[in-house]
């Protein structure tokens, strides 16, 4: 069966959801450079550059001539869910993690989206009518897979979107800021682990 991964790259005029969330959550901050691992047609790169961020990206179909390089923030947005080979999926996530100096932003499609897709079963996912592969995850399934693959505890920020921090201190600060502090003036209890 011929799988057409390049057909999954969509054209957008706005930031993708995971990159937008990383900006809103303060995971991408002023001065950070971003590397988009599997950047597709480069829409996030164009938008981030417009906002003044240094960024680059690689994609096997559209930007294969760009060398992989490390950056404080690495995004692997909706990439792992289009890889039909489970071993390659693992290696791809590990490769992106190796490049992340501070944080890896991981996102994938969730099972509730599968209802809208005309597809037939193939391996551990489906092949769509467009000839693309999709592996739909449950939220906890995706988190468990990320954590077991990388040996690090990820942090969910939204359905299908996770942050994997290189340093546990950065992880704790993010959790305190996003989930404990909630932007109120109440005293913040430090969360461990």
């Amino acid at each position: 069966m011929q799988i057409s991964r390049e057909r999954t790259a969509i054209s957008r005029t706005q930031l993708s959801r995971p990159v937008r969330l990383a900006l809103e959550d303060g995971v991408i901050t002023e001065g950070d450079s971003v590397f988009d691992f599997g950047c597709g047609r480069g829409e996030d790169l164009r938008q981030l550059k417009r906002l003044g961020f240094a960024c680059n990206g690689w994609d096997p179909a559209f930007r294969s001539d760009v060398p992989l390089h490390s950056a404080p923030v690495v995004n692997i947005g909706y990439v792992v869910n289009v890889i039909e080979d489970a071993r390659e999926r693992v290696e791809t996530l590990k490769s992106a993690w190796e490049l992340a100096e501070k944080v890896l932003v991981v996102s994938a499609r969730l099972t509730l989206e599968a209802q809208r897709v005309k597809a037939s079963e193939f391996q551990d996912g489906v092949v769509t009518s467009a000839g693309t592969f999709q592996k739909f995850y449950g939220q906890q399934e995706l988190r468990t897979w990320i954590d077991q693959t990388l040996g690090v505890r990820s942090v969910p920020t939204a359905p299908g979107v996770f942050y994997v921090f290189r340093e546990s201190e950065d992880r704790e600060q993010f959790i305190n800021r996003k989930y404990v502090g909630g932007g109120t003036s109440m005293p913040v209890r430090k969360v461990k682990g």
Side-chain angles (χ1 to χ4, degrees):
M1 174 173 290
Q2 180 67 29
I3 304 294
S4 303
R5 290 182 188 170
E6 72 281 355
R7 289 186 185 173
T8 62
I10 60 172
S11 295
R12 285 180 277 102
T13 57
Q14 299 177 342
L15 288 168
S16 67
R17 185 167 171 255
V19 172
R20 180 179 47 79
L21 287 168
L23 284 166
E24 290 171 4
D25 288 340
V27 170
I28 300 173
T29 59
E30 187 177 333
D32 283 338
S33 64
V34 179
F35 190 80
D36 197 351
F37 190 102
C39 64
R41 299 176 189 277
E43 302 296 340
D44 280 333
L45 299 176
R46 281 188 276 286
Q47 296 298 322
L48 284 169
K49 285 178 183 175
R50 189 179 61 75
L51 294 171
F53 288 94
C55 58
N56 208 337
W58 171 87
D59 187 90
F62 299 100
R63 293 176 58 99
S64 61
D65 59 329
V66 175
L68 297 173
H69 66 83
S70 61
V73 181
V74 174
N75 175 53
I76 183 165
Y78 305 107
V79 170
V80 296
N81 54 283
V82 303
I83 300 172
E84 69 278 4
D85 182 287
R87 287 184 302 237
E88 183 183 349
R89 206 178 299 145
V90 165
E91 291 309 311
T92 299
L93 183 64
K94 286 180 178 179
S95 294
W97 175 237
E98 288 176 15
L99 300 175
E101 296 169 355
K102 185 175 87 173
V103 64
L104 178 66
V105 180
V106 183
S107 55
R109 295 182 72 186
L110 298 178
T111 52
L112 51 95
E113 298 175 73
Q115 300 167 5
R116 300 186 303 236
V117 177
K118 290 185 179 185
S120 55
E121 289 186 22
F122 181 75
Q123 296 186 31
D124 65 347
V126 297
V127 173
T128 69
S129 57
T132 63
F133 175 83
Q134 290 291 332
K135 161 73 171 136
F136 293 100
Y137 290 88
Q139 178 79 352
Q140 188 57 46
E141 174 192 15
L142 179 58
R143 184 179 192 185
T144 299
W145 179 76
I146 293 167
D147 293 0
Q148 289 177 350
T149 299
L150 302 179
V152 179
R153 291 179 62 203
S154 60
V155 180
T157 189
V161 183
F162 293 83
Y163 301 142
V164 188
F165 291 93
R166 184 66 65 188
E167 300 294 331
S168 60
E169 184 176 294
D170 291 339
R171 179 182 185 276
E172 291 172 16
Q173 287 177 359
F174 173 76
I175 291 170
N176 282 324
R177 190 174 65 247
K178 179 154 176 127
Y179 298 110
V180 179
T184 67
S185 59
M186 295 174 57
V188 176
R189 179 177 55 86
K190 185 143 175 110
V191 173
K192 290 284 185 184

